[in-house]
Amino acid sequence: MTRIRARRLDGLTSSAIRDLLELTSRPEVISLAGGLPAAELLPTARLAEAAVSALADPASAQYTETCGLADLRTVIAARESGRLGRAVDPQQVVVTHGSQQALSLIAQALLDPGDLVVVEEPSYTGALQVFRAAEATLAPIPVDDDGLDTDALEELLAGGARPVLVHTVATFHNPRGAVLSAPRRAHLASLAERYGFRIVEDDPYGDLWFGTPPPAPIASHTDRVIRLSSASKIIAPALRVGWLLADRDVCASVELLKQGADLCGSSLTQRIAADLLADTAWLDAHLTTLRGTYGSRAHALTDALSAEFGPDVTYSPVRGGMFTWTTLPLAVPAAELLPVAAGLGVAFVPGDAFAVAGDHTRSARLCFATSAEDELAEAVRRLGAAVRAAGDARAQVQVQS
């Protein structure tokens, strides 16, 4: 029989979040599911101004370097230098089609089938898809309110495990909302030095802090870090501009693979991104607006959860980012609650979408960034109605049986 697809696809499933897009596009549904920036906060006027400026140069409509537009790499290197407290060479930066492509290229460049990758539990679904496609062996380590449990990781390493990579969304974790504490960042860096693995520090949300900035990046402690970030959450997803920061050997390997993937990214969107990222006065004001609005929405969501469910609900602290990880008083698993909730006009992502080996059936990831405060309150009211309806239906089944 003719084989119709590669074996590496056999264990892959579609992202639950991508599958929810059709559902959440219905106008009557308030979506707490996707990690989408607020549409009304997208800087469309400033983007249009930058696009006009970029198109004045015909080079913006031409091919560019595989590793990315030189001006953009220079801007990113300068931003990273300030964060890390050390000089970053633009040659250590590769611009990618969103940070998801960066993660995929890293996996292709560094992993052979069967290689061990430490991931968080629960974990970002896009990372799980990438590492499973690379046929890696996954070792989950729990995440609590202080981020990845580095003591548990050290115990795994002391037992003989030798990962090639440790992947972490250390700042405003997706989905857990956690922030890896400063002591754990230093501990993780020291483990990387001692055991020789690389850390993939996935950082799309680090600029979206509420009140207190997060600790310095893990890469400020060790050069065994590959840092990923993106313009998607702070400027606009449609630019599809992400990047990685790594040593030159990793960059060269990624660039070689990228030549076969897409030759190069868009000169136009990269020039627009360079313009906006370099305009520090505008960017600082824009980030201040995002932080204030998202912070207010985060507290509106958690206040509504407490009012609707009382002490029966738990949720992660909202210190930044776009998500809170919520455990609800459910009579049915969250995946079974979802269609009931959708019928009542609210959507979320069930916790099991982020599971590696753990049980997250009673949890859900809720996004507070996309909706206004009154919509968030209404979404929680609908969620409460869905929980009660699911509970009543389960009780009826039990009576009949």
Side-chain angles (χ1 to χ4, degrees):
M1 180 181 294
T2 302
R3 182 158 53 89
I4 60 172
R5 65 180 192 175
R7 285 188 298 273
R8 70 177 62 90
L9 291 171
D10 290 348
L12 297 185
T13 57
S14 178
S15 165
I17 300 169
R18 298 299 96 188
D19 292 344
L20 280 169
L21 287 179
E22 182 178 353
L23 168 67
T24 58
S25 67
R26 288 163 33 193
E28 72 274 16
V29 174
I30 301 174
S31 177
L32 307 178
L36 279 65
E40 70 275 16
L41 298 181
L42 295 174
T44 51
R46 184 67 180 83
L47 287 165
E49 176 188 323
V52 170
S53 176
L55 287 169
D57 182 353
S60 297
Q62 187 55 277
Y63 291 112
T64 188
E65 298 174 72
T66 300
C67 58
L69 193 72
D71 287 351
L72 177 56
R73 288 186 288 124
T74 298
V75 170
I76 293 167
R79 284 172 55 82
E80 289 294 319
S81 296
R83 286 181 170 156
L84 303 185
R86 57 178 171 82
V88 174
D89 191 316
Q91 293 186 23
Q92 294 176 265
V93 176
V94 177
V95 179
T96 57
H97 193 74
S99 60
Q100 184 68 23
Q101 186 192 47
L103 187 59
S104 179
L105 292 172
I106 288 165
Q108 292 176 56
L110 300 182
L111 297 175
D112 289 322
D115 280 347
L116 185 65
V117 176
V118 168
V119 295
E120 295 165 316
E121 179 74 81
S123 190
Y124 166 52
T125 56
L128 297 180
Q129 284 187 308
V130 163
F131 297 137
R132 285 168 176 157
E135 301 178 76
T137 300
L138 303 184
I141 297 292
V143 174
D144 58 27
D145 285 345
D146 288 322
L148 181 75
D149 185 344
T150 55
D151 288 335
L153 173 59
E154 183 170 21
E155 185 177 341
L156 179 73
L157 297 167
R162 292 296 177 265
V164 176
L165 299 175
V166 172
H167 176 266
T168 177
V169 184
T171 305
F172 313 127
H173 183 265
N174 180 7
R176 188 64 172 72
V179 177
L180 189 66
S181 66
R184 287 189 180 182
R185 291 175 190 234
H187 187 203
L188 178 56
S190 71
L191 293 175
E193 295 283 354
R194 190 189 321 169
Y195 290 98
F197 57 82
R198 284 188 171 95
I199 301 164
V200 179
E201 184 178 15
D202 210 341
D203 188 20
Y205 309 105
D207 283 311
L208 299 178
W209 42 268
F210 311 148
T212 303
I218 305 167
S220 65
H221 298 280
T222 176
D223 60 6
R224 298 196 64 82
V225 174
I226 303 169
R227 266 182 61 76
L228 312 183
S229 196
S230 168
S232 293
K233 301 302 190 287
I234 62 171
I235 299 178
L239 290 176
R240 304 314 301 135
V241 171
W243 55 86
L244 66 87
L245 168 67
D247 63 65
R248 292 189 185 181
D249 287 342
V250 170
C251 288
S253 299
V254 167
E255 185 177 351
L256 183 63
L257 288 165
K258 195 173 190 300
Q259 290 172 9
D262 63 5
L263 296 179
C264 67
S266 164
S267 299
L268 177 59
T269 61
Q270 290 184 28
R271 193 172 295 276
I272 292 169
D275 184 339
L276 271 64
L277 290 172
D279 187 350
T280 54
W282 172 84
L283 183 60
D284 287 347
H286 178 61
L287 288 173
T288 297
T289 298
L290 293 182
R291 291 167 187 151
T293 303
Y294 290 169
S296 295
R297 291 179 178 185
H299 291 295
L301 176 62
T302 55
D303 287 350
L305 287 168
S306 294
E308 181 70 29
F309 297 104
D312 293 330
V313 69
T314 61
Y315 45 80
S316 59
V318 284
R319 291 175 279 181
M322 292 185 165
F323 310 111
T324 186
W325 182 249
T326 305
T327 301
L328 297 164
L330 300 181
V332 299
E336 293 183 27
L337 176 68
L338 179 58
V340 179
L344 293 173
V346 64
F348 57 87
V349 185
D352 273 351
F354 308 96
V356 186
D359 180 1
H360 306 296
T361 54
R362 305 290 167 176
S363 296
R365 190 194 75 175
L366 306 181
C367 175
F368 48 74
T370 312
S371 302
E373 293 175 37
D374 58 342
E375 290 178 312
L376 291 168
E378 174 61 17
V380 173
R381 187 196 67 77
R382 296 178 187 182
L383 187 59
V387 169
R388 290 188 291 275
D392 291 346
R394 172 61 64 93
Q396 185 65 30
V397 169
Q398 290 173 341
V399 168
Q400 292 174 350
S401 62

